[in-house]
Amino acid sequence: MLESTMQDSQLTISSMLEHSRRVYATSRVLTFEGDGVREASYGEVGARAHRLASALQELGVGRGDRVGTFLWNTQEHLEAYLAVPSMGAVLHTLNLRLFPEQLAYVINHAADKVVIVDSTILPLLLRVADQLTTVEQYLLVGEADASALGKPVHAYEKLLADAAATFVWPELDERTAAAMCYTSGTTGNPKGVVYSHRSTYLHSLASGGGNTFNLSENDTVLPVVPMFHANAWGLPYSGWLAGADFVMPGRFLQAEPLAKMIETYKPTIAGAVPTIWNDLLTWIDEHPTDMSSLRVVPCGGSAVPQSLMKAYQERHGVRIIQAWGMTETSPLAAVSHPPKGYEDDEWPWRSKTGRILAGVEMRLVGESGDVLPWDGTAVGEVQVRGPWVTGSYHLDPDPAKFDGGWLRTGDVASVSPEGFIQITDRAKDVIKSGGEWISSVDLENALMGHPSVREAAVVAVPDERWVERPLACVVLRDGASASPKELSDYLEDKVAKWWLPERWSFIAEVPRTSVGKFDKKVLRAQYADHELTVEQLTP
Amino acid sequence: MLESTMQDSQLTISSMLEHSRRVYATSRVLTFEGDGVREASYGEVGARAHRLASALQELGVGRGDRVGTFLWNTQEHLEAYLAVPSMGAVLHTLNLRLFPEQLAYVINHAADKVVIVDSTILPLLLRVADQLTTVEQYLLVGEADASALGKPVHAYEKLLADAAATFVWPELDERTAAAMCYTSGTTGNPKGVVYSHRSTYLHSLASGGGNTFNLSENDTVLPVVPMFHANAWGLPYSGWLAGADFVMPGRFLQAEPLAKMIETYKPTIAGAVPTIWNDLLTWIDEHPTDMSSLRVVPCGGSAVPQSLMKAYQERHGVRIIQAWGMTETSPLAAVSHPPKGYEDDEWPWRSKTGRILAGVEMRLVGESGDVLPWDGTAVGEVQVRGPWVTGSYHLDPDPAKFDGGWLRTGDVASVSPEGFIQITDRAKDVIKSGGEWISSVDLENALMGHPSVREAAVVAVPDERWVERPLACVVLRDGASASPKELSDYLEDKVAKWWLPERWSFIAEVPRTSVGKFDKKVLRAQYADHELTVEQLTP
């Protein structure tokens, strides 16, 4: 058999680190600190990654050991992203918003040996410190009394200052574990996804391509989406590989500081979930802000209402593009750029969930297990596979989540012939009414187009006649009012008549999961338990 | 050791084929035919690739067998690019401009089993048909009497029409051989580079990125550089992966039809060697042509004179970007986009050979084997390694070309701290004068800035006092005149005084290799053998 003559080079994070550190030495990493930014060059961040690796090695971190990060989006977090995998250890990003028992669970389950913690959120870690069975030492970024952690605590800056300036990166097979992230499932324990150097490298290349985000050194990336949540959509790695500047928002995720960051530091691309953009919109509508630096704003994590995208585009010249994926897919799997030729009729496309990316294979599977056509009509579960898609979970094969090598995403959708996914529901959220499916997502999107509605979440509730019917839970804008009748009338020409909800709740806010998604489990439980509060009664 | 949970998906050409065939089914492949184009959709091309694979299998082509292509840049050539590797066979692109003995050599050395030949160039193949020892059958694109080939000849269209419509692509390891291309060395026999599915896939991803060419489905790609020469710089694969439209120029590579193609079919990106752009410039300067569709024009294969780039940019609004690589590097290894912050002072950067791409590792090695700094001053041989760089040659390890896993490119250069390569010479072309090096490339570029000079080639000639001195061979523009004194004066403030050539030849054209590069071996031989013609005498 004829052999390829190509070199067998490995796709590693250390090669990304070294390339950009040298070629883009003057690119910048800004970390917002409330009244201004801390600035470091790629050259400095790269040098500090070497020192961090040296320090961790001194602390006993070896190949395959897990290093947890309990950090905001900061320069130090980026240093850990680069150093920990490059030295052959495994980065474990910890979700700051987990309930204490879940936080302790994931640290113990991953067997983190060292945790790097930001002083501003030390109290959250202190709550669980005595339950942690594997952590031997802590690195503290910033100043605080961390003695209550009960294990040796090292000051991050002092440790780096004392560490050897150069670390000789090991030559790793590209399939070596590089990083891990636990899914924030609303049922059962969180499950760990373990990325490889290869999957991270390929995901970074795919993210920077012309059909995705066209990342280059001319960009300035503002990752609002947390680096503990699905790797901030891969932006720390893809941005670094491209040599882009970064604006790291730190803990300043509210509308006012974000508006200031955008106006002052002029990011060209910023990623956040719809809730953040929704809050920011309210702010910038009232406080004129120069948003013109932004050339594209990926948005995902939950469905992005067309009304939100249009408000940004029409009032602020900002182009929001939906993206779809999950912790299990690194996360980017689909992006909703309109296809060529539809420049003047782009909204039907931009409102879809996303067009499948090259590198991710997708199929649509019906309830009986048959593969469905991409005809824009047939509805089934989206299944994917590919080099940056997980094939199992850490210490938990969970075979129910896989179907002959395909990941079952749990998202129910139709797919257009052009590969555009239109998610109608999470499999567990779909409303089965009289043998037909009602899309809670479509109802939510339609409702959020009403000027008085700030947010809307629709869940299935039991119904004697139809088995299930939709319950619409609505958050009104400050000072706005609307009756169920008025909202139902508004929906009438937007959805099928039999979809119109008979049950309505007006609530103060939609309960959310630790990563900011609507927690429909809680909404359903509140209904089932008859715990509706005064606020939830129809006004 | 902690295991990654990522799927072990393979990066294959069949996955590129199937993704774009489906998701970009309506993208178009136009093949220019002199008075208009033949058009096929991606859906059609993909379907025909299945039929081509079925037909080749029927003819006995199995896993690892070589299929030669003796074709212009056409839809059929693209079909072979997609079908042959996807079926597990190996595409061997044959250089139409090889001397007969070299053509026979590479076909026999690669052991091509089947050759696909275009009827318009059948005579070139007929000259060597009786020397071919491995070819069993031919596929003929177009109409001609090919009986003199002496082996069974099948009409391409009939074969496809009769073939099974679906081929089940084998599941290949990504390191499987996919395609091969012989280098056009000016010394010794050509050497075969064998690309893998992995190297092709990664090269395509890297080519489409934001720091490279930002390829998307909104592009229309005009690959003027032949698909038999370093894979047309990878554009057939990277363009296909991006879902871009193609304009295939077929055999119409002259200035007039190229100008027509650009004006009519509006490519956004077009790749060709400097000679082609030089010819086209002369044409469009005299025949106003709308070139506004072109957003970027990669140019390489030999040094691109700044004067050429400026003429295009200032007179025609076309942005030429130098790129660097070779058959051994798939070929893209460096691209000369100016770094950020230099928008108003980009020419010093754009005149450099290229900035090393992420994915390709580079070092500069001095004559004594020491690794030199990237300081913009130190000059040594460029050595590279990476997943799309070859580590040997087909049936010919050629250890002199490799240095501890690094490919010795034979290019002599300095490298700036930002990773910009400035090639001063081919190692074998460098002029060693009095213990110092003179860059023939710098002299050529400076000379080509003179308004009377169409082309210039500088070679080393023996000198009693200085060991070597430069001989400047100059091609004047039609009707222009210039004396050696005049040209020497022109150079005076552009290069070091001791570089100024004492020896001058005015020639009708620069001899070229089969891929259009200056053939300095011939120039040197003409001088050494005292074969200077009348045209070569100083006027």
Side-chain angles (χ1 to χ4, degrees), chain A residues 95-382:
Chain A
N95 185 335
L96 314 184
R97 302 200 184 105
L98 285 180
F99 296 111
E101 57 271 29
Q102 284 191 320
L103 180 60
Y105 174 85
V106 302
I107 294 174
N108 291 334
H109 190 261
D112 292 348
K113 195 169 184 178
V114 169
V115 172
I116 308 175
V117 54
D118 190 295
S119 61
T120 63
I121 39 182
L122 180 62
L124 297 177
L125 196 59
L126 282 174
R127 289 193 298 181
V128 302
D130 62 356
Q131 299 165 46
L132 303 182
T133 56
T134 63
V135 179
E136 297 172 4
Q137 304 184 71
Y138 294 91
L139 269 60
L140 180 68
V141 176
E143 308 267 320
D145 176 3
S147 55
L149 283 169
K151 292 279 162 63
V153 179
H154 308 274
Y156 187 89
E157 285 302 326
K158 169 124 185 16
L159 207 65
L160 260 60
D162 295 344
T166 302
F167 191 101
V168 179
W169 306 123
E171 292 191 9
L172 299 173
D173 183 282
E174 67 191 36
R175 287 176 168 79
T176 304
M180 66 193 303
C181 187
Y182 279 74
T183 61
S184 52
T186 46
T187 55
N189 278 319
K191 294 171 195 301
V193 173
V194 185
Y195 308 106
S196 66
H197 287 257
R198 170 184 167 90
S199 68
T200 300
Y201 200 109
L202 292 172
H203 182 265
S204 301
L205 279 177
S207 300
N211 285 323
T212 317
F213 302 134
N214 176 24
L215 294 174
S216 81
E217 64 152 339
N218 297 310
D219 279 305
T220 298
V221 180
L222 171 63
V224 183
V225 53
M227 288 166 74
F228 59 71
H229 175 211
N231 311 308
W233 303 345
L235 290 168
Y237 287 124
S238 57
W240 176 270
L241 184 65
D245 288 343
F246 281 99
V247 179
M248 293 293 191
R251 64 184 190 277
F252 302 95
L253 304 176
Q254 307 73 30
E256 182 175 355
L258 285 177
K260 183 176 165 188
M261 271 177 249
I262 293 170
E263 190 163 68
T264 309
Y265 303 106
K266 305 199 180 307
T268 58
I269 173 169
V273 295
T275 316
I276 296 270
W277 295 122
N278 214 352
D279 291 350
L280 182 63
L281 180 65
T282 306
W283 175 268
I284 61 178
D285 275 350
E286 288 165 14
H287 306 79
T289 302
D290 179 4
M291 305 281 284
S292 62
S293 66
L294 289 167
R295 64 171 179 82
V296 63
V297 167
C299 188
S302 55
V304 185
Q306 196 186 84
S307 54
L308 181 70
M309 292 192 279
K310 283 193 167 167
Y312 266 97
Q313 193 147 322
E314 288 162 8
R315 301 209 290 271
H316 302 281
V318 170
R319 187 171 178 85
I320 293 181
I321 294 289
Q322 286 203 72
W324 173 79
M326 53 197 66
T327 300
E328 287 88 339
T329 63
S330 292
L332 268 186
V335 177
S336 231
H337 293 295
K340 65 183 156 201
Y342 287 92
E343 292 73 16
D344 298 330
D345 186 25
E346 61 176 16
W347 285 107
W349 301 99
R350 299 223 358 231
S351 305
K352 295 183 193 292
T353 310
R355 190 181 206 180
I356 195 74
L357 287 182
V360 181
E361 243 186 302
M362 174 181 59
R363 67 180 189 182
L364 201 60
V365 178
E367 278 199 286
S368 55
D370 46 327
V371 174
L372 303 177
W374 292 8
D375 60 6
T377 305
V379 171
E381 185 182 27
V382 177

